[in-house]
Amino acid sequence: EELPVNPNTLVIGGGIAGIQASLEIAASKNIVYLVEKSPTIGGHMAMFDKTFPTLDCAACILTPKMVEVGQHNYIKLMTYSEVQEVTGVPGNYTVKILKRARLINLETCIGCGICAEKCPTKTFSEFDSNTTLRRSAYIPFPQAVPNKYLIDSSVCNYFIKGKCGVCVKVCPVPGCINLDEKDEVVEINVGNIIVATGFKTFDAAKFAQFGYGKYPNVLTS
C-alpha cells in the first residue's frame, strides 16, 4: 500500500546530530520541528573543549550551526519541550509536545541579565556538571540558542516559599516575566521523525574507590 507522506519532519534532540539533521533537511525547504528538552540546543558537544582526533575547538564548530538553526526560516525550534505522544500512520503522524513554561517571554526578553544578577537563589549548574553555581533566573551558557533567560521554578523562592518576585521588579521590559505562566501542550503534524536523543555520561560515582561525588577535587574529564 502506498500512502502520501507529510513533508514536515520532527527531530527529537538538539545536540550536534539533531542540529545537523535539521539543517540538511531545512536546506530542501521543508519544515523541521526541532524539539529539545533542555533550555538550549547544543547538547554534550557544547560542553566540550576540543574534539577528537583533530583537537578542533568544539564551540568553533558547533556555535555557528546553533545560530543558523535559531535563525533558519524552515526550522521551528522548540526548546524546554518534550514529546509526550505520537499517533498516526507512517507518513502522517500527530505529535503532542509539552512546552514547559520558561516564565520569561522568548519574544520580548532582551537578554540583559538583570534578572539573574538580582536573583537571590542559587543552585548547581547542569552545564558545568554541577561544579559551579547558577541563579534560578539564568541562561544555560553565554552562547545558548535561544539566547534568552528563563526561570527554574524548582529552586525559585516564588514557587517554594510563595514570595520573592525580585526579577519581575527589576526587569526593564514590562510584562516580560510572568511567574504565573503555565506549561502548554501543542500538536504538530509530521510525516517523518528522527530520534537524536544522544547519550548519558557514565556515573563515575559507581567507582567508589576514587571518591567522585564525595571529594570536591575529584573530577571527570
Side-chain angles (χ1 to χ4, degrees):
E1 183 181 2
E2 291 188 359
L3 299 170
V5 177
N6 184 328
N8 298 343
T9 300
L10 166 66
V11 177
I12 308 173
I16 184 61
I19 287 172
Q20 190 64 38
S22 298
L23 289 173
E24 294 190 17
I25 295 169
S28 66
K29 296 186 177 181
N30 288 299
I31 296 293
V32 177
Y33 296 93
L34 177 55
V35 176
E36 166 58 40
K37 67 179 180 180
S38 71
T40 176
I41 57 174
H44 287 291
M45 188 172 177
M47 303 176 185
F48 295 159
D49 177 31
K50 302 289 193 296
T51 56
F52 182 83
T54 57
L55 299 186
D56 287 330
C57 163
C60 302
I61 300 169
L62 180 66
T63 50
K65 295 178 183 289
M66 291 170 59
V67 172
E68 187 178 356
V69 164
Q71 298 177 347
H72 206 293
N73 291 331
Y74 286 94
I75 298 178
K76 309 299 181 183
L77 184 56
M78 303 173 75
T79 55
Y80 215 39
S81 304
E82 291 190 71
V83 172
Q84 279 197 320
E85 181 182 281
V86 178
T87 57
V89 296
N92 187 16
Y93 300 105
T94 299
V95 184
K96 289 185 179 179
I97 299 172
L98 173 66
K99 295 180 67 177
R100 297 202 296 275
R102 295 177 68 99
L103 308 177
I104 297 180
N105 193 314
L106 269 176
E107 303 299 324
T108 59
C109 174
I110 59 175
C112 64
I114 295 176
C115 56
E117 291 175 14
K118 302 298 182 182
C119 178
T121 57
K122 293 181 180 180
T123 188
F124 289 107
S125 168
E126 302 87 348
F127 180 77
D128 293 313
S129 299
N130 296 333
T131 59
T132 62
L133 295 174
R134 63 163 173 81
R135 308 283 181 168
S136 60
Y138 74 107
I139 192 169
F141 61 100
Q143 294 80 30
V145 174
N147 200 240
K148 304 294 178 78
Y149 283 75
L150 74 153
I151 294 173
D152 183 352
S153 60
S154 67
V155 293
C156 175
N157 279 343
Y158 180 83
F159 296 92
I160 296 173
K161 300 179 181 178
K163 58 183 180 180
C164 186
V166 171
C167 54
V168 178
K169 298 173 185 175
V170 300
C171 180
V173 182
C176 182
I177 299 178
N178 177 13
L179 297 178
D180 296 320
E181 181 186 356
K182 303 299 182 184
D183 295 348
E184 177 187 6
V185 176
V186 298
E187 280 192 5
I188 61 172
N189 291 104
V190 297
N192 317 281
I193 300 175
I194 294 176
V195 181
T197 48
F199 61 92
K200 290 183 179 179
T201 53
F202 178 74
D203 180 8
K206 292 181 178 179
F207 286 126
Q209 67 269 32
F210 298 121
Y212 181 77
K214 181 179 179 181
Y215 303 114
N217 61 336
V218 179
L219 307 172
T220 71
S221 60

